[in-house]
Amino acid sequence: MQKLVRLHYYLALLALVFSRAAMADCGDCAAIAQRFAQKEQFNGVVLVGQGAQVDYVESFGVADAETKRPITADTRFETGSISKWIASIVVMRLVQQGQLSLDEPVATYLPDYRKDTGSKLTLRTLLSHSSGVPNQVDAAVKNDPTVRDLTLDNAEAVRRFASGDLAFEPGTDWDYSHANWLIVKAVLEKVTGNSYPALVDGYVSKPLGLRDSGVFIGDSAKVAGMARGYAGLTPQAEPLSKPIPNFMMLAGGYYTSANDMLRLLDGLFEGKVLSPDRAAELMAVLRPDQHYALGGRTKMLMLGRQERSVAWEYGSNGAFRVLAWRTLKDGHSVIVMNNTSFDHQKIGDLATRLLEASYR
């Protein structure tokens, strides 16, 4: 019996040693992040990993200033425009299954859409912001913030905010237009007969075992486990919320945690959602001046003394800032999440230092 107890003790000790070694693979990451957090009063979570392995993760500050609930690696954050990348992953899954084509005219899927432009637009031009569809939805929100509180079906949302005259011929230029995603939502739900949240759950969350991810509408504070958004925490907490209307969920309605984001990055590029060919097509740059692919960006960064291709995902909405980078060849990843309107340039600088440190 004593031998068995000692065996269990040594096995537990061995597991602890290996656990600490795994967390120490990025030896400089803790010092980099902790200095940054102290100097900049950063409130959020930082994670560095390779493949599915977490090499370093640390949380700073509070998810809820009123209750003092701390941020953890499982705290949920709005992801802003990373939502567009998630939508593109869903589209590519349906392309892989033969239910959609990136180059079929939108009129094929939405016969009631205006004929002159519906025959020119494709999912490829919509997902790459090269459609020419004017950004009427942002203009409408700017003129009347109560537009954020509307609930509209796809036909009405598209008619109001995504049916303007094209600003340029599809594929000839680039314009970051949220109106594109209203059309994509209409296509997805028309072709599949399922709601967009159900598609994300079925094609992304369940296959990858994501526990703290999904789609929300309205005020994200209503989602259990979500970080609250703040314009700042000093000298007092200033709440900040920008509700997402139901017709904008593809453009900004996705939430996730740092742990889930790593699972998503690893699962996507390890073939658990898309085939290697479809994942490569998802990340292939179509608008070089913007490094823009389908719903996200691919950039070349100098890391570990060589240029590496990086899935470069960044999103913001209201107080939330989320960055998720992954080197495409060897899976080095860095994830930074914030809920206090932090300077996005400083977040990018931190991520660059952490990703470089992961190669040392």
Side-chain angles (χ1 to χ4, degrees):
M1 185 66 172
Q2 288 180 338
K3 289 183 179 180
L4 185 60
V5 170
R6 283 199 299 270
L7 177 61
H8 286 168
Y9 170 79
Y10 286 122
L11 287 174
L13 183 61
L14 188 62
L16 180 60
V17 168
F18 277 113
S19 174
R20 287 178 176 172
M23 294 297 286
D25 282 352
C26 184
D28 296 331
C29 286
I32 292 170
Q34 289 164 9
R35 282 197 302 266
F36 179 87
Q38 183 176 14
K39 178 183 176 182
E40 304 292 347
Q41 296 184 312
F42 175 76
N43 195 89
V45 59
V46 175
L47 185 152
V48 180
Q50 184 175 11
Q53 175 181 296
V54 176
D55 293 335
Y56 164 73
V57 62
E58 190 164 358
S59 302
F60 306 90
V62 294
D64 187 321
E66 183 177 352
T67 65
K68 307 302 181 186
R69 172 167 55 95
I71 288 173
T72 73
D74 293 319
T75 298
R76 300 168 175 185
F77 288 76
E78 292 186 29
T79 67
S81 288
I82 292 177
S83 304
K84 301 176 178 67
W85 194 53
I86 302 303
S88 298
I89 292 170
V90 173
V91 169
M92 292 304 294
R93 179 61 183 265
L94 292 169
V95 170
Q96 182 171 295
Q97 294 177 181
Q99 292 180 260
L100 291 174
S101 168
L102 289 179
D103 299 310
E104 190 73 19
V106 163
T108 303
Y109 307 117
L110 301 177
D112 294 331
Y113 189 69
R114 57 180 290 182
K115 306 300 181 185
D116 55 342
T117 56
S119 62
K120 299 178 179 180
L121 298 176
T122 65
L123 286 168
R124 193 183 300 275
T125 58
L126 291 167
L127 298 181
S128 62
H129 288 283
S130 60
S131 68
V133 176
N135 198 5
Q136 291 174 298
V137 65
D138 279 14
V141 170
K142 184 176 180 180
N143 291 332
D144 180 9
T146 64
V147 168
R148 287 183 173 275
D149 301 321
L150 294 176
T151 298
L152 302 174
D153 62 27
N154 289 330
E156 182 62 13
V158 168
R159 185 189 69 78
R160 287 198 197 186
F161 305 126
S163 296
D165 294 337
L166 297 181
F168 50 83
E169 284 297 301
T172 65
D173 207 341
W174 191 85
D175 178 46
Y176 199 77
S177 174
H178 285 132
N180 291 324
W181 304 92
L182 278 63
I183 302 172
V184 176
K185 180 175 182 288
V187 170
L188 287 174
E189 294 187 342
K190 180 71 176 293
V191 168
T192 65
N194 292 316
S195 70
Y196 179 68
L199 292 172
V200 171
D201 187 53
Y203 289 132
V204 181
S205 296
K206 286 181 178 176
L208 300 181
L210 306 184
R211 301 185 293 268
D212 294 297
S213 304
V215 178
F216 74 96
I217 59 173
D219 186 348
S220 67
K222 297 177 182 177
V223 177
M226 181 74 72
R228 299 294 181 98
Y230 298 95
L233 292 176
T234 56
Q236 61 184 14
E238 300 177 61
L240 176 61
S241 173
K242 286 191 175 181
I244 299 293
N246 72 315
F247 50 89
M248 289 286 287
M249 62 177 71
L250 274 70
Y254 188 73
Y255 67 86
T256 192
S257 66
N259 279 334
D260 267 9
M261 191 74 235
L262 184 66
R263 292 186 191 103
L264 194 159
L265 291 173
D266 188 62
L268 173 65
F269 294 113
E270 290 300 316
K272 296 179 182 178
V273 174
L274 298 177
S275 68
D277 287 347
R278 290 304 182 190
E281 190 171 14
L282 173 76
M283 302 311 303
V285 172
L286 298 176
R287 308 304 305 176
D289 290 349
Q290 302 294 332
H291 310 282
Y292 210 84
L294 298 178
R297 289 177 166 87
T298 301
K299 285 192 174 185
M300 298 300 295
L301 297 180
M302 184 63 70
L303 301 164
R305 298 184 179 181
Q306 63 179 275
E307 276 201 325
R308 302 177 193 271
S309 185
V310 178
W312 193 95
E313 305 304 328
Y314 176 82
S316 66
N317 182 56
F320 292 91
R321 309 284 186 267
V322 172
L323 174 151
W325 293 353
R326 181 184 176 94
T327 56
L328 295 179
K329 184 176 181 179
D330 53 19
H332 285 235
S333 301
V334 60
I335 295 160
V336 183
M337 297 182 163
N338 166 263
N339 62 326
T340 58
S341 310
F342 201 79
D343 186 327
H344 69 90
Q345 184 63 54
K346 290 182 179 180
I347 286 178
D349 291 342
L350 171 63
T352 301
R353 294 200 298 273
L354 290 169
L355 201 54
E356 174 62 31
S358 74
Y359 284 94
R360 294 200 290 268

